[in-house]
Amino acid sequence: MSDAAFPVPSLSSPIQVVGEDATTVDTEHLAALPMREREYEIVCSTGDRYTEPWYGVPVPAVLEAAPTSMPLETTHLLVDSDDGHRACVDVATALEGLLAVGKRGEALADAAGHDTRFVAAVEGPRTVKGVTRLEAAVLEPGEDPEAYEELVPAE
Ligand SMILES: Nc1nc2c(c(=O)[nH]1)N[C@H]1C(S)=C(S)[C@@H](COP(=O)(O)O)O[C@H]1N2
Ligand SMILES: [Mo]
């Protein structure tokens, strides 16, 4: 059941969730998940920064959509966007994040050019807009997470 205080827009395309298995989360599924509001600070590499209340579904609840959960050895979460932007975030930090669908009580779909955004205690470039896919990754010790990323230059 959706909460009137936190409007859930229809997603332009379903979100792929990849753990041991893959599944997709569509608008109806998303709207049935718990919505939370949390403040995150977005810090761009240029130094621009701002803090806003985002609302959306806690990342663990989105990942639980997959028929089997994330591998126990999961170290990182890969977050992909339709524009090719991709972040690789350590799993502990990612699990404290939201798959946001709005901020300040307004749907991103109405206020921004995308309908979802991954927000967590990460640097601005890793707050991926227009999430298309969340994938559990197992990196070897010593592997560089940045090698998995496609972060566009600072805005
Ligand atoms: N899909 C996608 N997400 C993205 C980007 C992008 O180019 N594509 N830019 C990132 C960068 S570099 C920053 S600093 C923030 C900017 O967010 P803002 O537009 O809310 O300031 O979005 C991040 N998320
Ligand atoms: Mo940025």
Side-chain angles (χ1 to χ4, degrees), residues 44-46 124-125 153-155:
C44 178
S45 356
T46 59
E155 291 176 346

Side-chain angles (χ1 to χ4, degrees), residues 19-82:
E20 304 267 20
D21 281 316
T23 189
T24 55
V25 170
D26 60 12
T27 305
E28 197 185 346
H29 188 147
L30 200 67
L33 296 176
M35 289 283 156
R36 295 286 179 273
E37 188 172 43
R38 293 180 190 154
E39 290 206 340
Y40 294 101
E41 185 181 32
I42 307 291
V43 185
C44 178
S45 356
T46 59
D48 284 354
R49 57 174 64 213
Y50 56 89
T51 300
E52 285 181 304
W54 298 84
Y55 71 86
V57 179
V59 167
V62 182
L63 297 177
E64 280 162 18
T68 52
S69 52
M70 301 191 300
L72 281 176
E73 317 77 44
T74 299
T75 59
H76 289 75
L77 190 68
L78 302 177
V79 186
D80 277 284
S81 167
D82 46 15

Side-chain angles (χ1 to χ4, degrees), residues 42-50 52 54 79-86 103 112 114 116-118 123-131 150-155:
I42 307 291
V43 185
C44 178
S45 356
T46 59
D48 284 354
R49 57 174 64 213
Y50 56 89
E52 285 181 304
W54 298 84
V79 186
D80 277 284
S81 167
D82 46 15
D83 68 356
H85 203 80
R86 165 184 269 199
K103 68 176 174 184
H114 43 271
T116 58
R117 184 161 175 179
F118 168 75
E123 302 79 4
R126 295 189 171 85
T127 60
V128 176
K129 303 171 181 177
V131 176
E150 289 294 340
L151 302 177
V152 296
E155 291 176 346

Side-chain angles (χ1 to χ4, degrees), residues 85-124:
H85 203 80
R86 165 184 269 199
C88 180
V89 177
D90 80 83
V91 70
T93 303
L95 290 175
E96 298 290 321
L98 292 178
L99 178 67
V101 295
K103 68 176 174 184
R104 296 194 181 283
E106 192 180 1
L108 291 176
D110 297 332
H114 43 271
D115 44 32
T116 58
R117 184 161 175 179
F118 168 75
V119 285
V122 294
E123 302 79 4

